Amino acid sequence: MADTTSRMLQLLSLLQARRDWPGELLAERLDVSVRTVRRDVDRLRELGYRVQAVKGPDGGYRLENGSELPPLLFDDEQAVAVAIALQTATASGADIGEAADRALATVRQVMPSRLRHRVDALATTAPPPAADPVDPGVLLAVSEAIRTHEVLRFDYAGGEQPRRTEPHHLVARAGRWYLIGWDLDRDDWRVYRADRIAPRSARGRRFAPRRLPGGDPHALLDARFRGAPEGSGWPARGSAVVALPLADVAPFVGDGEAEALGPDRTRITAGSWSWDALAASFGRFGAALDEPRPAELASAFRRLAARAAAAASPRVDDRDRGPDRDEPPVS
C-alpha cells in the first residue's frame, strides 16, 4: 500500500508539472505498466482530481481544473516561494491579510523543519513588486545565515572587495529586499540590497547577535532612507501654525501631526530630509503661516522667502522686452 501511495503522489506531481502526458511516458517515468497507470489515474479521480483522458495517437492524461481545490504537491523551492508570498501578503495589511495568515499557518505546519527555519528567518513589511527580482537562492542563503548566526561572505555589485557581514534581518520594503547586517570590515551597521548580493559558498564562523539600534529593523531601514541616525526619525523636524481649520489640514499631513489651536488655526508638526524641504512642505497648504519652531525652521522660511522674492523680481530682459501682449500700452 505504501508503494501505491508513493507512486500516486509521484503521478500527481508529474501531472501538475506539464499539461499533457502520454500514458506510455508516464508508465516509463513511474517504472510501471500502462495498465497500472490507468488504475492509479482512477484512484486520483476518486479522490477528487479531474484527470481527463487525452485523445491522440499515443493517448494520455491531463489534469483539469475542478470545482474544489484538491491537495497540492510542492517541491522545496515552490513551498518556500508560497510561504514567502503568504508572509508578504500577511504583512501588507491588505484585505487578504487574515486569509493569508491562516494559509501561511497551514503551509508552515506541514513544512519540514529545514524549510520552516528558512521561512521564519524572513521578515517582511509590505508586498514587494517584481521591479527588482531577487534569485530565490540568494534569499534562502541569506536567511539561512541569519538563522544559524553565521558570518556571510558575499560579492556586492559595484564593490571591488567581498563583504564580511554578520546578517541580522532580511526585510522587504518598497519593491526591494534588503539585508541589515553588521559589516565586520567597516565596524558599523550596513544595509544591502539583496538583488546586488552574490553569496560565496564557504560558510563563515558563528557569531553572537548584536543588539540592533532601536530594536526595530523597519525603523532602522526608514532612518537610513531618510539620511538620519537610527532611531532619530527625520533629520529636520519642526512645527508651524497654519491659518486653516483642523478638518482642512488633517487629511494632508501624511506622517506628521496636526493640533487644533482654534477654529481657523492648526499647528502642524512634521519632518523632512532638510530644513528647507520642511519649510517648503508647509507652503502646500496655501495659507498664512506663523510661529515656526525651532529656529532652524524659521531661518529656512527666510531663505525660501528671499529666493521666492528674487524669482518674482522682473529681470532686465523682461523690462527691455516691453509690455506683455495682453496688456494695454501705457499712455
Side-chain angles (χ1 to χ4, degrees), residues 70-87:
L72 303 175
L73 291 179
F74 297 107
D75 59 30
D76 285 3
E77 291 185 0
Q78 289 175 323
V80 171
V82 168
I84 291 174
L86 290 172
Q87 184 173 340

Side-chain angles (χ1 to χ4, degrees), residues 254-274:
D255 62 353
E257 302 171 0
E259 176 188 3
L261 301 180
D264 295 308
R265 285 170 57 82
T266 303
R267 176 168 291 280
I268 301 172
T269 302
S272 188
W273 57 273
S274 72

Side-chain angles (χ1 to χ4, degrees), residues 133-145:
V134 183
D135 184 344
V138 171
L139 294 180
L140 293 179
V142 172
S143 63
E144 181 67 12

